[in-house]
Amino acid sequence: VTVHRRRMAVRHTTPPFLLIFVAVICAIVALFECHQVYSQQIGLPATKYNARVTSPVWRITPSRRCTSMSARRKKMVDVLLKEDVKGSGKKGDITAVKPGFWRNYLLPNGIATQPTAEYMEQLRVEEEMKIAEAKAAKDTALKLRDGLQMLSFTIRMKAQDDGKLYGGVRSQDIVDAVKAQTGTELDPKTIDLPSNMDKLDTYNVRVNLHPEVTASFPVSIQRGK
């Protein structure tokens, strides 16, 4: 009984400062754990004390990144091009451009406009007029071709005894001959002369009246002047 009482006495004589020290250590550990959990929730940058926390920038999920990219794409502006723009489209196209490109370049220079119903109707009317003008020009060229191919023309030039011309025949000579006989003045640039047109003879001359219409007619080179 005496021994047992002595052991109980030893237990009750434990220094109080040890208990305080243990309590402080436990409190520090608890505070550290709370700090680590709080840091993960608010997204503080990683340190040696909370190394498991990552930067908020890299914690953006793929779905958020996709959403931000689609939002940027939605900030484009639809415009109607009045003329060809390299990298954007051709005249009459409705294309999406960046707001700054539209506001600072296309709009001030009159290169594009908003695709309004009024302007679309104006564009349609202009296109119909161009088609009508192109058809009229082709019809005129066809009529002129039919008239020229029914005729023959004569040009008088100086020549040697063997018939070789002293000077070559020029496109302007053909223009003058056609105008004198028909009253129609051709463009010298549209006339194709034969390469061997250097002596008294009859040659077939071609003239390009239209990108899709070509006429040909005989031209007789005779001695004269």
Side-chain angles (χ1 to χ4, degrees), residues 31-200:
L31 289 173
F32 176 77
E33 291 180 354
C34 292
H35 172 72
Q36 192 172 17
V37 172
Y38 179 72
S39 298
Q40 292 177 355
Q41 292 178 349
I42 65 175
L44 291 176
T47 64
K48 65 180 181 179
Y49 300 107
N50 58 344
R52 297 178 60 184
V53 180
T54 57
S55 174
V57 175
W58 298 106
R59 289 190 294 105
I60 298 177
T61 60
S63 61
R64 290 183 180 179
R65 287 198 294 268
C66 294
T67 302
S68 61
M69 291 176 64
S70 62
R72 287 195 296 269
R73 285 196 295 267
K74 290 181 180 179
K75 292 182 179 179
M76 304 292 279
V77 178
D78 289 333
V79 298
L80 178 64
L81 299 180
K82 294 183 177 180
E83 56 186 74
D84 296 350
V85 178
K86 186 177 181 181
S88 296
K90 296 184 177 181
K91 181 179 179 180
D93 290 348
I94 297 178
T95 184
V97 298
K98 293 182 179 180
F101 185 53
W102 153 250
R103 184 172 55 254
N104 300 325
Y105 177 71
L106 297 178
L107 180 61
N109 293 285
I111 300 175
T113 184
Q114 293 290 340
T116 60
E118 293 79 7
Y119 189 81
M120 294 293 291
E121 178 64 18
Q122 178 184 346
L123 195 65
R124 184 189 66 81
V125 172
E126 291 178 357
E127 187 65 22
E128 290 181 353
M129 290 179 61
K130 287 182 180 180
I131 294 175
E133 291 174 358
K135 184 178 183 302
K138 184 176 180 180
D139 292 343
T140 302
L142 289 171
K143 292 180 180 180
L144 181 58
R145 180 198 65 182
D146 295 341
L148 291 175
Q149 292 186 157
M150 295 175 61
L151 302 174
S152 61
F153 302 90
T154 300
I155 298 177
R156 297 187 178 278
M157 301 187 68
K158 292 182 179 180
Q160 301 176 11
D161 293 339
D162 59 358
K164 190 174 181 62
L165 301 177
Y166 282 110
V169 178
R170 304 171 303 162
S171 297
Q172 187 61 46
D173 296 329
I174 305 297
V175 171
D176 295 340
V178 172
K179 184 177 181 180
Q181 190 168 335
T182 66
T184 301
E185 186 171 3
L186 302 177
D187 185 355
K189 297 179 181 179
T190 64
I191 296 175
D192 295 331
L193 296 177
S195 58
N196 60 344
M197 201 173 186
D198 58 354
K199 60 182 179 180
L200 300 175

